[in-house]
Structures are given as C-alpha cells and as structure tokens.
Amino acid sequence: MLPSILGIASKEMRWNKQPIPYSVALQIGWNLPIDVVGAGVYGGIVKRDSEGRVLIGDEWPEDNLAPPAHNPIHRTGPYLDYARLTADNRGYTSIAQLIMDGRASKLDALLESVPEANGARKRLANLVMTGGARPLHMCGMGRGGDTSELIK
C-alpha cells in the first residue's frame, strides 16, 4: 500500500539490465529501518548463463547508492535472477527457504534426494546465492530459533 501511496507502484528500476517494479524492489532489497535484507541482497536465486555459470553484476542498488556504501569493497557479485522470482519463493533458493524456516527434516530430505556420487550433493550444500551467500551463511538469517542446529 505504501508504494501506491507514494505513486511508485507502476514505476520500475533497471538493475543488471533487468526491469524490476519499485514496489517489488522494496520487498527484495534492503529494509534499513528494521535492518533486514531480501533475496536481492542475500540468499536469492542467482542469474546464470546458458551453461549454468554464475553471472557477476552490480550488487543490489541500495547497497552502493551513496557514500559510504554498505559494501565498499565488493560492489559486484552474484545477483538475483529476477525472472525466477515468484510470490511463493520471494526470490530465495529452495535451500535458503528451508534453512530460514528451520525445517530440518525437509532440508535433510532435499539433501538426501540429490546423488552424492557425482558431487551434486556437495554442490547443493555449497550453492552460490545472491551476495555470495552459501547455505551455511543462511543459518544466521533464520526466523527465530537457532538455525545453526540444521548443519549438525
């Protein structure tokens, strides 16, 4: 409702050549008043090329909007694949969602569903997400409780 009040609901920004409505950008970027970040900053589905390699682009715009930048050392990195954002995933990877929600049994099931033989399970456990986050990093972003218990 706030975006429509401000008259920005229909406007969009461009980030790494992706058009993103401002009303959505407010949900997936920085929320500075409560010190929370969305999938556009950390833990989101990264943009990849046709061969599956992670693409590097500008960090989330608010991250480097004006001096001093939140991250003056790393201004670029893996960025959100906005085309894969849905209302259900909010831009987050499946593994990040399971960790943030503290769903240990579902996380175990996901990891067990991936073959260990060809290294796929290890790749999933080290999946690169927006902001360069890996699944272990997401343990610090849980919704209450100690999500670090998930990695034991």
PDB file of all heavy atoms in Angstrom, residues 91-128:
ATOM      1  N   GLY A  91      12.063 -14.926  -4.373  1.00  0.00           N
ATOM      2  CA  GLY A  91      13.409 -14.786  -4.911  1.00  0.00           C
ATOM      3  C   GLY A  91      14.444 -15.657  -4.241  1.00  0.00           C
ATOM      4  O   GLY A  91      15.580 -15.747  -4.692  1.00  0.00           O
ATOM      5  N   TYR A  92      14.085 -16.314  -3.147  1.00  0.00           N
ATOM      6  CA  TYR A  92      15.024 -17.153  -2.410  1.00  0.00           C
ATOM      7  C   TYR A  92      15.154 -18.533  -3.045  1.00  0.00           C
ATOM      8  O   TYR A  92      14.198 -19.077  -3.585  1.00  0.00           O
ATOM      9  CB  TYR A  92      14.585 -17.327  -0.952  1.00  0.00           C
ATOM     10  CG  TYR A  92      14.770 -16.098  -0.122  1.00  0.00           C
ATOM     11  CD1 TYR A  92      13.687 -15.299   0.217  1.00  0.00           C
ATOM     12  CD2 TYR A  92      16.031 -15.731   0.337  1.00  0.00           C
ATOM     13  CE1 TYR A  92      13.855 -14.159   0.983  1.00  0.00           C
ATOM     14  CE2 TYR A  92      16.207 -14.596   1.099  1.00  0.00           C
ATOM     15  CZ  TYR A  92      15.118 -13.809   1.423  1.00  0.00           C
ATOM     16  OH  TYR A  92      15.293 -12.684   2.180  1.00  0.00           O
ATOM     17  N   THR A  93      16.326 -19.137  -2.910  1.00  0.00           N
ATOM     18  CA  THR A  93      16.531 -20.517  -3.337  1.00  0.00           C
ATOM     19  C   THR A  93      15.744 -21.432  -2.401  1.00  0.00           C
ATOM     20  O   THR A  93      15.433 -21.062  -1.262  1.00  0.00           O
ATOM     21  CB  THR A  93      18.017 -20.915  -3.281  1.00  0.00           C
ATOM     22  OG1 THR A  93      18.458 -20.817  -1.928  1.00  0.00           O
ATOM     23  CG2 THR A  93      18.875 -20.039  -4.188  1.00  0.00           C
ATOM     24  N   SER A  94      15.454 -22.633  -2.870  1.00  0.00           N
ATOM     25  CA  SER A  94      14.715 -23.590  -2.042  1.00  0.00           C
ATOM     26  C   SER A  94      15.475 -23.917  -0.764  1.00  0.00           C
ATOM     27  O   SER A  94      14.896 -23.974   0.323  1.00  0.00           O
ATOM     28  CB  SER A  94      14.460 -24.878  -2.821  1.00  0.00           C
ATOM     29  OG  SER A  94      13.620 -24.615  -3.905  1.00  0.00           O
ATOM     30  N   ILE A  95      16.782 -24.124  -0.885  1.00  0.00           N
ATOM     31  CA  ILE A  95      17.570 -24.485   0.291  1.00  0.00           C
ATOM     32  C   ILE A  95      17.610 -23.333   1.295  1.00  0.00           C
ATOM     33  O   ILE A  95      17.533 -23.545   2.504  1.00  0.00           O
ATOM     34  CB  ILE A  95      18.979 -24.999  -0.090  1.00  0.00           C
ATOM     35  CG1 ILE A  95      19.634 -25.711   1.098  1.00  0.00           C
ATOM     36  CG2 ILE A  95      19.852 -23.892  -0.644  1.00  0.00           C
ATOM     37  CD1 ILE A  95      20.868 -26.516   0.742  1.00  0.00           C
ATOM     38  N   ALA A  96      17.675 -22.098   0.814  1.00  0.00           N
ATOM     39  CA  ALA A  96      17.666 -20.945   1.721  1.00  0.00           C
ATOM     40  C   ALA A  96      16.345 -20.859   2.469  1.00  0.00           C
ATOM     41  O   ALA A  96      16.325 -20.580   3.672  1.00  0.00           O
ATOM     42  CB  ALA A  96      17.921 -19.651   0.948  1.00  0.00           C
ATOM     43  N   GLN A  97      15.238 -21.119   1.776  1.00  0.00           N
ATOM     44  CA  GLN A  97      13.931 -21.072   2.428  1.00  0.00           C
ATOM     45  C   GLN A  97      13.830 -22.113   3.535  1.00  0.00           C
ATOM     46  O   GLN A  97      13.330 -21.826   4.625  1.00  0.00           O
ATOM     47  CB  GLN A  97      12.825 -21.306   1.415  1.00  0.00           C
ATOM     48  CG  GLN A  97      12.642 -20.160   0.455  1.00  0.00           C
ATOM     49  CD  GLN A  97      11.579 -20.478  -0.587  1.00  0.00           C
ATOM     50  OE1 GLN A  97      10.707 -21.309  -0.374  1.00  0.00           O
ATOM     51  NE2 GLN A  97      11.655 -19.808  -1.711  1.00  0.00           N
ATOM     52  N   LEU A  98      14.304 -23.326   3.254  1.00  0.00           N
ATOM     53  CA  LEU A  98      14.244 -24.382   4.267  1.00  0.00           C
ATOM     54  C   LEU A  98      15.068 -24.019   5.499  1.00  0.00           C
ATOM     55  O   LEU A  98      14.644 -24.247   6.630  1.00  0.00           O
ATOM     56  CB  LEU A  98      14.733 -25.710   3.682  1.00  0.00           C
ATOM     57  CG  LEU A  98      13.858 -26.317   2.585  1.00  0.00           C
ATOM     58  CD1 LEU A  98      14.526 -27.556   1.996  1.00  0.00           C
ATOM     59  CD2 LEU A  98      12.479 -26.647   3.122  1.00  0.00           C
ATOM     60  N   ILE A  99      16.233 -23.451   5.271  1.00  0.00           N
ATOM     61  CA  ILE A  99      17.109 -23.074   6.388  1.00  0.00           C
ATOM     62  C   ILE A  99      16.496 -21.922   7.179  1.00  0.00           C
ATOM     63  O   ILE A  99      16.426 -21.971   8.411  1.00  0.00           O
ATOM     64  CB  ILE A  99      18.515 -22.712   5.887  1.00  0.00           C
ATOM     65  CG1 ILE A  99      19.203 -23.966   5.339  1.00  0.00           C
ATOM     66  CG2 ILE A  99      19.341 -22.054   6.994  1.00  0.00           C
ATOM     67  CD1 ILE A  99      20.482 -23.689   4.566  1.00  0.00           C
ATOM     68  N   MET A 100      16.032 -20.881   6.490  1.00  0.00           N
ATOM     69  CA  MET A 100      15.465 -19.730   7.192  1.00  0.00           C
ATOM     70  C   MET A 100      14.226 -20.111   7.995  1.00  0.00           C
ATOM     71  O   MET A 100      13.969 -19.543   9.046  1.00  0.00           O
ATOM     72  CB  MET A 100      15.128 -18.609   6.206  1.00  0.00           C
ATOM     73  CG  MET A 100      16.351 -17.935   5.625  1.00  0.00           C
ATOM     74  SD  MET A 100      15.970 -16.493   4.598  1.00  0.00           S
ATOM     75  CE  MET A 100      14.850 -17.142   3.377  1.00  0.00           C
ATOM     76  N   ASP A 101      13.468 -21.080   7.493  1.00  0.00           N
ATOM     77  CA  ASP A 101      12.259 -21.512   8.192  1.00  0.00           C
ATOM     78  C   ASP A 101      12.546 -22.577   9.252  1.00  0.00           C
ATOM     79  O   ASP A 101      11.642 -22.992   9.973  1.00  0.00           O
ATOM     80  CB  ASP A 101      11.225 -22.040   7.202  1.00  0.00           C
ATOM     81  CG  ASP A 101      10.655 -20.924   6.332  1.00  0.00           C
ATOM     82  OD1 ASP A 101      10.819 -19.746   6.689  1.00  0.00           O
ATOM     83  OD2 ASP A 101      10.055 -21.240   5.294  1.00  0.00           O
ATOM     84  N   GLY A 102      13.795 -23.057   9.314  1.00  0.00           N
ATOM     85  CA  GLY A 102      14.166 -24.041  10.327  1.00  0.00           C
ATOM     86  C   GLY A 102      13.565 -25.416  10.105  1.00  0.00           C
ATOM     87  O   GLY A 102      13.320 -26.140  11.065  1.00  0.00           O
ATOM     88  N   ARG A 103      13.347 -25.782   8.860  1.00  0.00           N
ATOM     89  CA  ARG A 103      12.718 -27.072   8.552  1.00  0.00           C
ATOM     90  C   ARG A 103      13.785 -28.147   8.333  1.00  0.00           C
ATOM     91  O   ARG A 103      14.114 -28.508   7.205  1.00  0.00           O
ATOM     92  CB  ARG A 103      11.818 -26.937   7.328  1.00  0.00           C
ATOM     93  CG  ARG A 103      10.641 -25.998   7.607  1.00  0.00           C
ATOM     94  CD  ARG A 103       9.699 -25.925   6.469  1.00  0.00           C
ATOM     95  NE  ARG A 103      10.135 -24.863   5.561  1.00  0.00           N
ATOM     96  CZ  ARG A 103       9.557 -24.610   4.398  1.00  0.00           C
ATOM     97  NH1 ARG A 103       8.563 -25.340   3.969  1.00  0.00           N
ATOM     98  NH2 ARG A 103       9.998 -23.631   3.645  1.00  0.00           N
ATOM     99  N   ALA A 104      14.324 -28.675   9.418  1.00  0.00           N
ATOM    100  CA  ALA A 104      15.432 -29.632   9.356  1.00  0.00           C
ATOM    101  C   ALA A 104      15.080 -30.897   8.594  1.00  0.00           C
ATOM    102  O   ALA A 104      15.874 -31.380   7.778  1.00  0.00           O
ATOM    103  CB  ALA A 104      15.900 -29.988  10.768  1.00  0.00           C
ATOM    104  N   SER A 105      13.915 -31.457   8.831  1.00  0.00           N
ATOM    105  CA  SER A 105      13.556 -32.712   8.158  1.00  0.00           C
ATOM    106  C   SER A 105      13.428 -32.509   6.653  1.00  0.00           C
ATOM    107  O   SER A 105      13.838 -33.363   5.867  1.00  0.00           O
ATOM    108  CB  SER A 105      12.266 -33.293   8.727  1.00  0.00           C
ATOM    109  OG  SER A 105      11.185 -32.410   8.518  1.00  0.00           O
ATOM    110  N   LYS A 106      12.908 -31.360   6.246  1.00  0.00           N
ATOM    111  CA  LYS A 106      12.781 -31.088   4.807  1.00  0.00           C
ATOM    112  C   LYS A 106      14.140 -30.782   4.193  1.00  0.00           C
ATOM    113  O   LYS A 106      14.403 -31.134   3.046  1.00  0.00           O
ATOM    114  CB  LYS A 106      11.782 -29.962   4.557  1.00  0.00           C
ATOM    115  CG  LYS A 106      10.372 -30.400   4.874  1.00  0.00           C
ATOM    116  CD  LYS A 106       9.359 -29.413   4.378  1.00  0.00           C
ATOM    117  CE  LYS A 106       7.966 -29.957   4.689  1.00  0.00           C
ATOM    118  NZ  LYS A 106       6.931 -29.283   3.969  1.00  0.00           N
ATOM    119  N   LEU A 107      15.020 -30.148   4.954  1.00  0.00           N
ATOM    120  CA  LEU A 107      16.377 -29.902   4.473  1.00  0.00           C
ATOM    121  C   LEU A 107      17.109 -31.230   4.284  1.00  0.00           C
ATOM    122  O   LEU A 107      17.753 -31.452   3.258  1.00  0.00           O
ATOM    123  CB  LEU A 107      17.147 -29.006   5.441  1.00  0.00           C
ATOM    124  CG  LEU A 107      18.591 -28.697   5.075  1.00  0.00           C
ATOM    125  CD1 LEU A 107      18.695 -27.970   3.738  1.00  0.00           C
ATOM    126  CD2 LEU A 107      19.243 -27.880   6.183  1.00  0.00           C
ATOM    127  N   ASP A 108      16.989 -32.118   5.256  1.00  0.00           N
ATOM    128  CA  ASP A 108      17.594 -33.454   5.138  1.00  0.00           C
ATOM    129  C   ASP A 108      17.057 -34.180   3.913  1.00  0.00           C
ATOM    130  O   ASP A 108      17.814 -34.789   3.162  1.00  0.00           O
ATOM    131  CB  ASP A 108      17.327 -34.290   6.392  1.00  0.00           C
ATOM    132  CG  ASP A 108      18.166 -33.852   7.584  1.00  0.00           C
ATOM    133  OD1 ASP A 108      19.157 -33.132   7.385  1.00  0.00           O
ATOM    134  OD2 ASP A 108      17.805 -34.234   8.718  1.00  0.00           O
ATOM    135  N   ALA A 109      15.740 -34.112   3.709  1.00  0.00           N
ATOM    136  CA  ALA A 109      15.120 -34.791   2.567  1.00  0.00           C
ATOM    137  C   ALA A 109      15.641 -34.217   1.248  1.00  0.00           C
ATOM    138  O   ALA A 109      15.912 -34.971   0.301  1.00  0.00           O
ATOM    139  CB  ALA A 109      13.608 -34.668   2.638  1.00  0.00           C
ATOM    140  N   LEU A 110      15.796 -32.909   1.185  1.00  0.00           N
ATOM    141  CA  LEU A 110      16.325 -32.283  -0.032  1.00  0.00           C
ATOM    142  C   LEU A 110      17.744 -32.772  -0.307  1.00  0.00           C
ATOM    143  O   LEU A 110      18.068 -33.183  -1.424  1.00  0.00           O
ATOM    144  CB  LEU A 110      16.308 -30.759   0.091  1.00  0.00           C
ATOM    145  CG  LEU A 110      16.976 -29.989  -1.049  1.00  0.00           C
ATOM    146  CD1 LEU A 110      16.246 -30.217  -2.377  1.00  0.00           C
ATOM    147  CD2 LEU A 110      17.052 -28.504  -0.726  1.00  0.00           C
ATOM    148  N   LEU A 111      18.593 -32.740   0.714  1.00  0.00           N
ATOM    149  CA  LEU A 111      19.979 -33.179   0.529  1.00  0.00           C
ATOM    150  C   LEU A 111      20.051 -34.668   0.178  1.00  0.00           C
ATOM    151  O   LEU A 111      20.847 -35.060  -0.680  1.00  0.00           O
ATOM    152  CB  LEU A 111      20.806 -32.873   1.775  1.00  0.00           C
ATOM    153  CG  LEU A 111      21.067 -31.380   2.019  1.00  0.00           C
ATOM    154  CD1 LEU A 111      21.619 -31.144   3.407  1.00  0.00           C
ATOM    155  CD2 LEU A 111      21.982 -30.800   0.959  1.00  0.00           C
ATOM    156  N   GLU A 112      19.223 -35.477   0.805  1.00  0.00           N
ATOM    157  CA  GLU A 112      19.222 -36.917   0.522  1.00  0.00           C
ATOM    158  C   GLU A 112      18.692 -37.226  -0.880  1.00  0.00           C
ATOM    159  O   GLU A 112      19.025 -38.256  -1.461  1.00  0.00           O
ATOM    160  CB  GLU A 112      18.400 -37.677   1.566  1.00  0.00           C
ATOM    161  CG  GLU A 112      19.038 -37.694   2.940  1.00  0.00           C
ATOM    162  CD  GLU A 112      20.376 -38.422   2.990  1.00  0.00           C
ATOM    163  OE1 GLU A 112      20.536 -39.441   2.287  1.00  0.00           O
ATOM    164  OE2 GLU A 112      21.266 -37.968   3.736  1.00  0.00           O
ATOM    165  N   SER A 113      17.885 -36.339  -1.439  1.00  0.00           N
ATOM    166  CA  SER A 113      17.311 -36.568  -2.772  1.00  0.00           C
ATOM    167  C   SER A 113      18.316 -36.329  -3.890  1.00  0.00           C
ATOM    168  O   SER A 113      18.070 -36.693  -5.037  1.00  0.00           O
ATOM    169  CB  SER A 113      16.092 -35.667  -2.987  1.00  0.00           C
ATOM    170  OG  SER A 113      16.490 -34.319  -3.182  1.00  0.00           O
ATOM    171  N   VAL A 114      19.434 -35.724  -3.545  1.00  0.00           N
ATOM    172  CA  VAL A 114      20.459 -35.407  -4.538  1.00  0.00           C
ATOM    173  C   VAL A 114      21.564 -36.457  -4.458  1.00  0.00           C
ATOM    174  O   VAL A 114      22.054 -36.749  -3.371  1.00  0.00           O
ATOM    175  CB  VAL A 114      21.035 -33.993  -4.276  1.00  0.00           C
ATOM    176  CG1 VAL A 114      22.134 -33.651  -5.236  1.00  0.00           C
ATOM    177  CG2 VAL A 114      19.925 -32.964  -4.338  1.00  0.00           C
ATOM    178  N   PRO A 115      21.965 -37.025  -5.609  1.00  0.00           N
ATOM    179  CA  PRO A 115      23.002 -38.066  -5.569  1.00  0.00           C
ATOM    180  C   PRO A 115      24.336 -37.544  -5.031  1.00  0.00           C
ATOM    181  O   PRO A 115      24.752 -36.443  -5.357  1.00  0.00           O
ATOM    182  CB  PRO A 115      23.153 -38.494  -7.022  1.00  0.00           C
ATOM    183  CG  PRO A 115      22.317 -37.597  -7.831  1.00  0.00           C
ATOM    184  CD  PRO A 115      21.518 -36.724  -6.943  1.00  0.00           C
ATOM    185  N   GLU A 116      24.948 -38.361  -4.198  1.00  0.00           N
ATOM    186  CA  GLU A 116      26.248 -37.995  -3.634  1.00  0.00           C
ATOM    187  C   GLU A 116      27.383 -38.370  -4.587  1.00  0.00           C
ATOM    188  O   GLU A 116      28.434 -37.726  -4.607  1.00  0.00           O
ATOM    189  CB  GLU A 116      26.433 -38.698  -2.285  1.00  0.00           C
ATOM    190  CG  GLU A 116      27.597 -38.179  -1.498  1.00  0.00           C
ATOM    191  CD  GLU A 116      27.601 -38.718  -0.075  1.00  0.00           C
ATOM    192  OE1 GLU A 116      26.651 -39.374   0.346  1.00  0.00           O
ATOM    193  OE2 GLU A 116      28.601 -38.457   0.606  1.00  0.00           O
ATOM    194  N   ALA A 117      27.168 -39.396  -5.397  1.00  0.00           N
ATOM    195  CA  ALA A 117      28.222 -39.972  -6.234  1.00  0.00           C
ATOM    196  C   ALA A 117      28.892 -38.970  -7.170  1.00  0.00           C
ATOM    197  O   ALA A 117      30.101 -38.932  -7.282  1.00  0.00           O
ATOM    198  CB  ALA A 117      27.660 -41.145  -7.035  1.00  0.00           C
ATOM    199  N   ASN A 118      28.148 -38.131  -7.834  1.00  0.00           N
ATOM    200  CA  ASN A 118      28.752 -37.218  -8.811  1.00  0.00           C
ATOM    201  C   ASN A 118      29.070 -35.837  -8.229  1.00  0.00           C
ATOM    202  O   ASN A 118      29.365 -34.913  -8.965  1.00  0.00           O
ATOM    203  CB  ASN A 118      27.852 -37.088 -10.036  1.00  0.00           C
ATOM    204  CG  ASN A 118      26.541 -36.412  -9.720  1.00  0.00           C
ATOM    205  OD1 ASN A 118      26.288 -36.029  -8.577  1.00  0.00           O
ATOM    206  ND2 ASN A 118      25.695 -36.271 -10.722  1.00  0.00           N
ATOM    207  N   GLY A 119      28.984 -35.705  -6.933  1.00  0.00           N
ATOM    208  CA  GLY A 119      29.305 -34.433  -6.276  1.00  0.00           C
ATOM    209  C   GLY A 119      28.146 -33.450  -6.238  1.00  0.00           C
ATOM    210  O   GLY A 119      28.313 -32.320  -5.792  1.00  0.00           O
ATOM    211  N   ALA A 120      26.963 -33.865  -6.706  1.00  0.00           N
ATOM    212  CA  ALA A 120      25.820 -32.955  -6.755  1.00  0.00           C
ATOM    213  C   ALA A 120      25.392 -32.503  -5.363  1.00  0.00           C
ATOM    214  O   ALA A 120      25.008 -31.350  -5.167  1.00  0.00           O
ATOM    215  CB  ALA A 120      24.654 -33.599  -7.487  1.00  0.00           C
ATOM    216  N   ARG A 121      25.452 -33.404  -4.385  1.00  0.00           N
ATOM    217  CA  ARG A 121      25.049 -33.044  -3.022  1.00  0.00           C
ATOM    218  C   ARG A 121      26.003 -31.993  -2.455  1.00  0.00           C
ATOM    219  O   ARG A 121      25.579 -31.029  -1.815  1.00  0.00           O
ATOM    220  CB  ARG A 121      25.024 -34.274  -2.125  1.00  0.00           C
ATOM    221  CG  ARG A 121      24.369 -34.005  -0.786  1.00  0.00           C
ATOM    222  CD  ARG A 121      24.268 -35.230   0.076  1.00  0.00           C
ATOM    223  NE  ARG A 121      23.472 -36.271  -0.576  1.00  0.00           N
ATOM    224  CZ  ARG A 121      23.407 -37.517  -0.145  1.00  0.00           C
ATOM    225  NH1 ARG A 121      24.075 -37.877   0.934  1.00  0.00           N
ATOM    226  NH2 ARG A 121      22.674 -38.400  -0.775  1.00  0.00           N
ATOM    227  N   LYS A 122      27.283 -32.159  -2.704  1.00  0.00           N
ATOM    228  CA  LYS A 122      28.264 -31.176  -2.225  1.00  0.00           C
ATOM    229  C   LYS A 122      28.037 -29.830  -2.909  1.00  0.00           C
ATOM    230  O   LYS A 122      28.142 -28.780  -2.273  1.00  0.00           O
ATOM    231  CB  LYS A 122      29.683 -31.689  -2.498  1.00  0.00           C
ATOM    232  CG  LYS A 122      30.761 -30.795  -1.933  1.00  0.00           C
ATOM    233  CD  LYS A 122      32.133 -31.400  -2.135  1.00  0.00           C
ATOM    234  CE  LYS A 122      33.199 -30.520  -1.529  1.00  0.00           C
ATOM    235  NZ  LYS A 122      34.540 -31.091  -1.667  1.00  0.00           N
ATOM    236  N   ARG A 123      27.707 -29.852  -4.208  1.00  0.00           N
ATOM    237  CA  ARG A 123      27.431 -28.597  -4.920  1.00  0.00           C
ATOM    238  C   ARG A 123      26.199 -27.908  -4.334  1.00  0.00           C
ATOM    239  O   ARG A 123      26.174 -26.692  -4.185  1.00  0.00           O
ATOM    240  CB  ARG A 123      27.259 -28.843  -6.418  1.00  0.00           C
ATOM    241  CG  ARG A 123      28.584 -29.088  -7.132  1.00  0.00           C
ATOM    242  CD  ARG A 123      28.446 -29.031  -8.648  1.00  0.00           C
ATOM    243  NE  ARG A 123      27.473 -29.984  -9.184  1.00  0.00           N
ATOM    244  CZ  ARG A 123      27.728 -31.260  -9.468  1.00  0.00           C
ATOM    245  NH1 ARG A 123      28.936 -31.744  -9.268  1.00  0.00           N
ATOM    246  NH2 ARG A 123      26.794 -32.043  -9.960  1.00  0.00           N
ATOM    247  N   LEU A 124      25.169 -28.686  -3.995  1.00  0.00           N
ATOM    248  CA  LEU A 124      23.977 -28.105  -3.398  1.00  0.00           C
ATOM    249  C   LEU A 124      24.310 -27.506  -2.028  1.00  0.00           C
ATOM    250  O   LEU A 124      23.871 -26.408  -1.706  1.00  0.00           O
ATOM    251  CB  LEU A 124      22.866 -29.150  -3.253  1.00  0.00           C
ATOM    252  CG  LEU A 124      21.590 -28.687  -2.548  1.00  0.00           C
ATOM    253  CD1 LEU A 124      20.958 -27.502  -3.278  1.00  0.00           C
ATOM    254  CD2 LEU A 124      20.612 -29.843  -2.432  1.00  0.00           C
ATOM    255  N   ALA A 125      25.087 -28.215  -1.243  1.00  0.00           N
ATOM    256  CA  ALA A 125      25.466 -27.724   0.088  1.00  0.00           C
ATOM    257  C   ALA A 125      26.327 -26.464   0.014  1.00  0.00           C
ATOM    258  O   ALA A 125      26.436 -25.722   0.990  1.00  0.00           O
ATOM    259  CB  ALA A 125      26.199 -28.817   0.862  1.00  0.00           C
ATOM    260  N   ASN A 126      26.917 -26.206  -1.151  1.00  0.00           N
ATOM    261  CA  ASN A 126      27.759 -25.024  -1.352  1.00  0.00           C
ATOM    262  C   ASN A 126      27.194 -24.097  -2.418  1.00  0.00           C
ATOM    263  O   ASN A 126      27.926 -23.311  -3.022  1.00  0.00           O
ATOM    264  CB  ASN A 126      29.180 -25.458  -1.735  1.00  0.00           C
ATOM    265  CG  ASN A 126      29.890 -26.073  -0.564  1.00  0.00           C
ATOM    266  OD1 ASN A 126      30.296 -25.379   0.356  1.00  0.00           O
ATOM    267  ND2 ASN A 126      30.010 -27.389  -0.573  1.00  0.00           N
ATOM    268  N   LEU A 127      25.904 -24.180  -2.666  1.00  0.00           N
ATOM    269  CA  LEU A 127      25.233 -23.386  -3.690  1.00  0.00           C
ATOM    270  C   LEU A 127      25.522 -21.899  -3.506  1.00  0.00           C
ATOM    271  O   LEU A 127      25.394 -21.364  -2.404  1.00  0.00           O
ATOM    272  CB  LEU A 127      23.723 -23.622  -3.607  1.00  0.00           C
ATOM    273  CG  LEU A 127      22.874 -22.895  -4.639  1.00  0.00           C
ATOM    274  CD1 LEU A 127      23.110 -23.491  -6.032  1.00  0.00           C
ATOM    275  CD2 LEU A 127      21.407 -22.991  -4.264  1.00  0.00           C
ATOM    276  N   VAL A 128      25.905 -21.229  -4.591  1.00  0.00           N
ATOM    277  CA  VAL A 128      26.148 -19.787  -4.555  1.00  0.00           C
ATOM    278  C   VAL A 128      24.812 -19.069  -4.746  1.00  0.00           C
ATOM    279  O   VAL A 128      24.065 -19.365  -5.673  1.00  0.00           O
ATOM    280  CB  VAL A 128      27.145 -19.348  -5.647  1.00  0.00           C
ATOM    281  CG1 VAL A 128      27.294 -17.829  -5.667  1.00  0.00           C
ATOM    282  CG2 VAL A 128      28.491 -20.018  -5.435  1.00  0.00           C
TER     283      VAL A 128
END
